[in-house]
Amino acid sequence: MLIDSHCHLNFNQFDPDRAEVVRRAVEEGVIGFINPSVDLQDSRQVVALATEMPTLYAAIGFHPNDAAKFNEEDLAELRDLATHPKVVAIGEIGLDYHWDSTPRPVQRHVFEQHLNLARELGKPVIIHQREAAADTMAMLRSWAGQHPKSKNLGVLHSFSGDVAMAEEAVALGFYLGISGPVTFKNARDLPAVVTMIPLNRLLGETDAPFLAPQPFRGKRNEPAHLRLIAEKIAALRHISFVEVSDTLLNNTISLFNLE
Ligand SMILES: [Zn+2]
């Protein structure tokens, strides 16, 4: 059994067949879903979906590509939404210098507001980072020391850094989210990261509808494909699928404090 630690089941790509997508996931052993948000409207929608779906949990906040929409007053509504029992994290938040759709100082300000909110609420964070590793790590480093939950701070979702960055993130108290690119031929540093970082610091995620693993690369992704990612981790580490799936499941339950 597995939990997809990062998927956007509320996105309109799943409007035509959401129930079917969930059914296929359950058939593949994917029994739960963590659904992060990208802005305030999305956060409301994800919390509403989590209220309807017993196996879906919500994370709330502004994605760096949507950071320009953030107002200081939105913090009050996020704080209010976070009191809902199905809200398990703040995310996805971070820095994205690839698209650069929002000025970098604005991204850093909004990221810091969310980090402070997570610390105030004692919730873990789901971090999105693209071509902004140095600034992201600098901000996480200064934040990590002041957080009440020292070993369960959050996850660097769809991790794409090298082994040195992975080791520092884990030492700070983060997990690494392993997604579809680990199955790609040009997986770069990911096979090394997956074999050298302790299994009890990895999470499995699809980031559906994005980042479909092989052999579905380029198509709409869905949580049922999480199994392919866990199989790849097992192959890279030369251990059984059951050991991988049990450990990933326990890691996800532990980080997000699920029942
Ligand atoms: Zn995402």
Side-chain angles (χ1 to χ4, degrees), residues 6-8 11 36-38 63 92 126 128 157 205 207-208 210:
H6 192 119
C7 55
H8 299 273
F11 277 10
S37 307
V38 298
H63 189 287
E92 56 183 290
I126 298 172
H128 170 102
H157 124 75
E205 62 164 278
D207 202 17
F210 313 113

Side-chain angles (χ1 to χ4, degrees), residues 237-253:
R237 294 183 72 106
H238 304 289
I239 56 177
S240 71
F241 173 79
V242 172
E243 184 180 352
V244 170
S245 56
D246 281 358
T247 310
L248 296 181
L249 178 69
N250 287 331
N251 296 346
T252 306
I253 290 171

